[in-house]
Amino acid sequence: MLNTKGKISIIMGVYNCEATLSESIESLLNQTYTNWELILCEDGSSDNTYYIAKKYADMYDNIVLIRNKQNVGLAHSLNKCLEHTTGEYIARQDGDDRSLPERLEREAAVLNNLPEFDIVSTGMSFFDEKGFWGQVIPVKVPTAEDFVLQSPFCHAPSMFRKEAIMHVNGYDTDKRTYRAEDYDLWFRMYANGSKGCNIQEALYEVRDDRNAIKRRKYKYRINEAYVRYKGYRLLKLPLKSHIYAFRALIVGLVPGGVYKIIRRKKYSYS
């Protein structure tokens, strides 16, 4: 088992994911990189998520469980996780996804060897109840211009230097950034001087099933438009780029079934 320098604190907010949480945590226990801790924040679930998380926290010294008295959302939960981290690197994972065994090793190597980068992420493979159906590989070294069309980093498989995220005070908990917390974070980190890169492989498997599609509500498109507009100004992007803030609103008007077809065509294996 590989144990290189750089302790990683994995932060995971979990809510009503009893069916998938064990599989997600097991993918971390199978990592080739061993110098890590997992900070779990159970966010007021109504199912057995807390008890599954507690089982792992009781079994492993490097898994810490904290709990919200009521559901407060991902940004609040991740900030609460940050308060308990002891690593110099922060990694993300969602409770319904899986990391390939070498993910942490590969990402830590980037931060260990390339001090010019504060953020590193990877591509993602998408799967549902029928199996794998596609993947996305973001641009290798995003510039400010790459923020215009979409978020230049996949959030769930990302890793970043703790000092860099703390310099921007963690995740924004404003209700207007809900469901776009990651996009907002990258905007603010880049505006603060951080840079990042993407490993050109899919080292993370994201569950994209019926439940995920149901979570995409129009009010979150409004939030994305707000984050885009604010972020474009932060990065001093040309005024002509601001029109893309309305793209989220237009996409949100597309019927769910049609959106699913378009999305799967865009990310399907070629």
Side-chain angles (χ1 to χ4, degrees):
M1 298 287 284
L2 184 67
N3 187 359
T4 58
K5 70 175 183 177
K7 183 177 182 180
I8 300 169
S9 295
I10 306 160
I11 57 176
M12 184 188 294
V14 291
Y15 175 70
N16 285 354
C17 55
E18 63 178 2
T20 60
L21 183 57
S22 290
E23 189 176 14
S24 182
I25 295 175
E26 289 293 336
S27 77
L28 295 172
L29 293 171
N30 289 327
Q31 291 293 300
T32 57
Y33 195 100
T34 59
N35 189 14
W36 59 266
E37 63 181 0
L38 171 62
I39 313 297
L40 287 160
C41 182
E42 196 285 306
D43 192 22
S45 299
S46 58
D47 63 6
N48 290 317
T49 295
Y50 170 77
Y51 300 101
I52 294 170
K54 187 176 187 302
K55 179 188 72 173
Y56 281 95
D58 290 342
M59 290 174 59
Y60 297 95
D61 292 336
N62 63 333
I63 297 180
V64 177
L65 175 62
I66 53 181
R67 190 179 195 184
N68 296 329
K69 293 181 179 180
Q70 59 186 12
N71 180 256
V72 295
L74 183 62
H76 283 280
S77 295
L78 294 181
N79 281 342
K80 195 169 181 179
C81 288
L82 283 171
E83 295 174 3
H84 291 77
T85 57
T86 62
E88 60 185 286
Y89 302 151
I90 305 297
R92 278 281 292 116
Q93 176 144 324
D94 285 334
D96 49 1
D97 300 338
R98 306 181 298 231
S99 288
L100 296 188
E102 68 273 23
R103 175 207 157 190
L104 296 182
E105 176 188 343
R106 297 279 300 280
E107 291 181 334
V110 171
L111 297 183
N112 284 339
N113 298 320
L114 299 172
E116 66 268 30
F117 293 132
D118 288 333
I119 306 163
V120 58
S121 191
T122 84
M124 303 189 304
S125 296
F126 300 103
F127 72 98
D128 59 16
E129 54 278 353
K130 296 181 180 179
F132 289 93
W133 58 265
Q135 68 175 20
V136 57
I137 306 291
V139 62
K140 187 173 183 179
V141 182
T143 64
E145 290 70 25
D146 291 309
F147 280 76
V148 174
L149 292 179
Q150 60 189 2
S151 175
F153 301 103
C154 298
H155 183 215
S158 66
M159 184 184 294
F160 33 88
R161 300 184 195 277
K162 182 176 181 178
E163 61 180 2
I165 188 174
M166 299 312 291
H167 280 167
V168 297
N169 299 314
Y171 291 88
D172 191 339
T173 57
D174 189 320
K175 291 182 179 179
R176 293 174 294 180
T177 66
Y178 186 64
R179 292 281 181 182
E181 303 96 342
D182 54 329
Y183 207 174
D184 175 79
L185 177 64
W186 310 139
F187 272 123
R188 291 186 291 113
M189 289 181 73
Y190 261 58
N192 196 50
S194 290
K195 295 291 182 287
C197 67
N198 288 298
I199 296 171
Q200 298 295 284
E201 297 176 48
L203 301 179
Y204 190 86
E205 298 172 345
V206 60
R207 195 178 304 271
D208 193 89
D209 55 14
R210 296 185 187 93
N211 291 329
I213 293 170
K214 289 178 182 178
R215 291 195 292 266
R216 299 185 184 116
K217 299 179 180 179
Y218 189 75
K219 62 181 179 180
Y220 304 145
R221 296 295 183 181
I222 297 174
N223 291 356
E224 182 186 337
Y226 167 76
V227 167
R228 283 175 178 268
Y229 178 72
K230 181 169 72 100
Y232 296 158
R233 297 186 67 184
L234 270 178
L235 297 186
K236 297 179 172 60
L237 291 166
L239 277 175
K240 65 180 181 180
S241 67
H242 291 199
I243 193 171
Y244 284 94
F246 297 100
R247 177 177 179 270
L249 302 179
I250 296 170
V251 171
L253 294 174
V254 176
V258 176
Y259 173 77
K260 178 180 178 181
I261 293 171
I262 295 172
R263 189 169 184 273
R264 293 210 167 197
K265 184 176 180 180
K266 179 180 178 181
Y267 295 132
S268 64
Y269 293 113
S270 56

